[in-house]
Amino acid sequence: MSEWQDVSDAPQGLERLEGSVEHVIYYNKDNGYTICDMAVGDEIITAVGAMPMTGEGDRLTVYGRWTHNAKYGRQFSVTQYERVMPADVASILKYLSSRVIKGVGPKTAQRIVDEFGEDTFDVIENHPEWLANVKGISMKLANSISENFKEQAGVRSAMMFFRDYFGVTTTLKIYKKWGTRCVDVAKQNPYRLCNEIEGIGFERADSMAEKLGFLNNNFDRIMSGINYVLMKNETLNGHVCLPRKKLCESALALLEVDAESADRAVAELLREGKLISRVCEDDEMIYRFETYENEQYIADKLRQIDRMSAAVDVADIMSFIGNEEIKSGITYAQLQKKAIEDALRYGVMVLTGGPGTGKTTVVRALIRIFDSMGFDIALAAPTGRAAKRMSEATSMEAKTIHRLLEMTYDASGSFVFCRNENCLLDEQIIIVDEASMIDNALMASLLRAIKPGARLIIIGDSDQLPSVGAGNVLRDIIDSGRFATVRLTEIFRQAQKSLIITNAHAVNGGQMPVLSVKDNDFFFLPRRTDREIAATVCELCHTRLPRTYGEMGRSGTQVIAPSRKGEAGTESLNILLQGRLNPAATNKKEHRFRDKVFREGDKVMQIRNNYDIVWTRVLDDKTGNGIFNGDIGIIEEIDNADERMLILFDDRSVSYEFSLLEDLEHAYAITVHKSQGSEYPIVIIPMCSAASMLLTRNLLYTAITRAQSMVILVGREDIVAEMVYNNRQSMRYTGLCELLGEK
């Protein structure tokens, strides 16, 4: 019996070696990554790569390339492999003695092999009761040995079947989901893979189904395609639902089937309850069941919170505001007073407004007032950087919403929240900032954890980009008119001196920003071509800003681009900036991951929340967990031998395994979407050619408002004008606004 890993994706020109495994140095059961010594002829070589369930005594044929490790020397990097299970007595003994099977050590292995010889594997798999005749093996242990062996055989069988379709990590996910049944499940209905296994898209399942002989008009295929269209629109376009007609049209284009089959599949999915139909403005909208549940729950729970919270007497409110003005030495503007009053009167209050309008001043006042009333307060934001900024602005701990809800992972590896309807938050006041970034699923999870009688204060700039995930929660809540909403519009005197703030408001109002001033905090450097723009951005980061502003110019500058693509997009800029700011050197270690080279000294960004990573605070050696989407750090050390790197995220040091590198990107330049919820001392924005859907007013407005001290636009004035006058906002299909308006 032999197995292959990733045969279909194997690069050309690989070397081939045959040998037996002498010693397993390291094995990661989650992804199959293995380091082992192999006897190849008269030589002992070290092989590294994903080789699940490899044990001493295994006979392998490995394919790959020779590499050099700075610490351990010459190694063979395995891209694919073939295993033949041990057949002779000596090899079987060596295999069992390696403890690859739980409960079997060298002595037990010797007794088993002495008893059964070359039939050992057949006995373990098919006649475990015979093992109980061996000294030291009870019937319970015999069954356990057999089950463990069968599990490994099942993994090997899965690896062999899925070798042409998926990599090792994905195959292990499939096996964990269905165990030894996984091959049968895939053969019966390969579309279950894309519906139930994270990371497998419809196209990959469809390609597999075609090779297995499934026809285009297979009903499981059509139903899976319908579901895929909805899921893709959630993740790529932010739609919570789709009109039935548009859904069927998209499915027809994807599946190349007739309209009747598509409509019949929608009807069947509706009948099974996997899809939900709802009439909205005379149009039939189709939801996936989970997204509909979330949207309906948001509407119901927000109304409940608003209804159940006890109002504070108006006279008391005026007294609270007056006392706070005396204590703080601040005279609140009329709209600020209105915001404080509404937060005390209503269960749900929304506070919105642009930069410099005093949202933070209102939040500070509310914290002090609610604290004086004896209420417990929780501050939260969607991202780690936004939570950190909230903490700094209020001098009170703020958490990410995920941490507030105590996110963890279940047995299948999916994340779940410990705080929910069955374990409510203790706090009576929940204040959430940067709410424009909150999608439907996260808002529903937050609301599930808020106890009856608590208050919810939602803060955000509704003119910024909407959430990356499905929904348009903040705007829908505001547009519904159902809850107390205060929009702060006055730019305070100290903020009026900043061109960053006045230009941000000009852009938001559809007016051109002032580009001619040379002695403020907002600058425009005209350049004609994308290549010139990229060159100027590099020169600013490498020479001009550090020379003029010292450390702030070196470490406080962030390039924020509208697009990933193009000569002045983030992908190209990251390569150029890495070459200028952190070039290769003999004293800098590197690690190549896919098409990226990570180098000691690189600026990198975490692009997904990871609550399991352990960090150590540099100043006091305090430890904690969690690196979050948007966190930016510096690679301090790379250890290729141990497959990990040391990254400093602000004041937190993290030992980062190479297996996590798909969650890491270079961050010399980032997209506007990735900058949401963050602020940087100096922001450089390339005004370059890009897809029209990216050259929009709210994208430019969002980019400008990320800057604390300076904004530099580099590029074409006509691109600035195009973005200012393009008030196109990506329309999102949602039903929340209408649901909130229902009684």
Side-chain angles (χ1 to χ4, degrees), residues 68-89:
H68 183 80
N69 183 282
K71 187 174 181 180
Y72 295 105
R74 195 169 184 240
Q75 295 181 335
F76 192 77
S77 179
V78 177
T79 301
Q80 57 193 48
Y81 76 101
E82 181 183 65
R83 176 196 285 119
V84 177
M85 288 296 287
D88 62 90
V89 171

Side-chain angles (χ1 to χ4, degrees), residues 542-558:
H542 179 261
T543 306
R544 294 169 63 177
L545 291 173
R547 183 174 60 207
T548 306
Y549 299 100
E551 186 57 35
M552 184 174 79
R554 272 188 295 273
S555 61
T557 299
Q558 183 60 58

Side-chain angles (χ1 to χ4, degrees), residues 216-217 221-222 249-259 261:
N216 261 17
N217 62 356
R221 176 178 186 265
I222 299 172
E249 287 173 352
S250 298
L252 291 178
L254 171 72
L255 302 170
E256 298 179 348
V257 296
D258 58 88
S261 296

Side-chain angles (χ1 to χ4, degrees), residues 299-318:
D300 293 342
K301 187 62 178 282
L302 282 173
R303 287 194 297 264
Q304 182 196 76
I305 292 172
D306 199 46
R307 185 174 64 249
M308 295 185 67
S309 297
V312 179
D313 185 85
V314 175
D316 291 338
I317 293 173
M318 294 303 107

Side-chain angles (χ1 to χ4, degrees), residues 468-529:
V468 174
N472 204 350
V473 176
L474 178 61
R475 186 173 290 276
D476 282 348
I477 291 173
I478 293 172
D479 290 348
S480 74
R482 178 67 177 74
F483 306 103
T485 300
V486 176
R487 178 182 289 274
L488 300 178
T489 55
E490 179 183 350
I491 304 174
F492 289 94
R493 185 175 302 171
Q494 64 271 26
Q496 291 175 0
K497 300 175 184 177
S498 167
L499 264 183
I500 294 175
I501 290 176
T502 55
N503 274 344
H505 283 274
V507 168
N508 198 34
Q511 299 176 347
M512 279 290 287
V514 175
L515 302 178
S516 56
V517 174
K518 306 296 184 185
D519 60 353
N520 204 288
D521 56 6
F522 194 106
F523 303 92
F524 175 64
L525 303 180
R527 298 292 185 271
R528 291 178 305 166
T529 67

Side-chain angles (χ1 to χ4, degrees), residues 232-292:
K232 187 174 181 180
N233 274 277
E234 288 175 25
T235 55
L236 295 184
N237 302 318
H239 298 312
V240 174
C241 51
L242 285 177
R244 183 165 182 162
K245 182 179 179 183
K246 183 180 264 308
L247 171 61
C248 288
E249 287 173 352
S250 298
L252 291 178
L254 171 72
L255 302 170
E256 298 179 348
V257 296
D258 58 88
E260 182 183 351
S261 296
D263 199 64
R264 190 160 57 89
V266 171
E268 177 61 21
L269 288 166
L270 288 169
R271 189 190 67 78
E272 293 178 0
K274 294 176 180 176
L275 300 184
I276 300 294
S277 170
R278 181 174 175 274
V279 176
C280 181
E281 296 181 354
D282 299 325
D283 207 345
E284 183 184 8
M285 308 301 292
I286 304 297
Y287 295 75
R288 291 193 310 119
F289 177 77
E290 297 86 347
T291 51
Y292 175 79

Side-chain angles (χ1 to χ4, degrees), residues 373-574:
M373 297 169 69
F375 289 127
D376 291 327
I377 306 165
L379 305 184
T383 68
R385 293 184 73 86
K388 183 181 178 183
R389 287 201 305 112
M390 195 180 189
S391 296
E392 292 168 347
T394 61
S395 300
M396 178 179 173
E397 183 188 13
K399 301 177 180 179
T400 64
I401 296 174
H402 287 77
R403 184 169 293 285
L404 179 70
L405 301 181
E406 299 175 15
M407 194 202 89
T408 186
Y409 295 92
D410 61 18
S412 68
S414 301
F415 78 81
V416 293
F417 293 116
C418 295
R419 294 289 185 168
N420 50 42
E421 301 100 320
N422 301 316
C423 184
L424 299 168
L425 293 168
D426 298 322
E427 293 84 1
Q428 300 101 327
I429 309 296
I430 313 295
I431 303 177
V432 183
D433 199 7
E434 294 287 357
S436 63
M437 299 174 66
I438 302 176
D439 60 30
N440 272 32
L442 187 57
M443 178 58 83
S445 296
L446 174 63
L447 293 174
R448 286 187 174 95
I450 296 178
K451 65 183 178 183
R455 278 182 167 78
L456 176 63
I457 299 163
I458 303 170
I459 304 163
D461 188 343
S462 59
D463 294 318
Q464 289 187 19
L465 294 171
S467 59
V468 174
N472 204 350
V473 176
L474 178 61
R475 186 173 290 276
D476 282 348
I477 291 173
I478 293 172
D479 290 348
S480 74
R482 178 67 177 74
F483 306 103
T485 300
V486 176
R487 178 182 289 274
L488 300 178
T489 55
E490 179 183 350
I491 304 174
F492 289 94
R493 185 175 302 171
Q494 64 271 26
Q496 291 175 0
K497 300 175 184 177
S498 167
L499 264 183
I500 294 175
I501 290 176
T502 55
N503 274 344
H505 283 274
V507 168
N508 198 34
Q511 299 176 347
M512 279 290 287
V514 175
L515 302 178
S516 56
V517 174
K518 306 296 184 185
D519 60 353
N520 204 288
D521 56 6
F522 194 106
F523 303 92
F524 175 64
L525 303 180
R527 298 292 185 271
R528 291 178 305 166
T529 67
D530 287 0
R531 182 167 296 183
E532 290 175 343
I533 293 169
T536 300
V537 169
C538 289
E539 186 65 20
L540 284 167
C541 294
H542 179 261
T543 306
R544 294 169 63 177
L545 291 173
R547 183 174 60 207
T548 306
Y549 299 100
E551 186 57 35
M552 184 174 79
R554 272 188 295 273
S555 61
T557 299
Q558 183 60 58
V559 179
I560 301 177
S563 174
R564 296 180 65 92
K565 304 298 182 182
E567 286 187 282
T570 60
E571 292 178 357
S572 177
L573 283 172
N574 271 315

Side-chain angles (χ1 to χ4, degrees), residues 689-707:
S689 54
S692 59
M693 62 183 293
L694 295 173
L695 299 179
T696 63
R697 181 186 301 173
N698 66 341
L699 191 138
L700 178 58
Y701 172 72
T702 301
I704 292 171
T705 56
R706 299 308 90 203

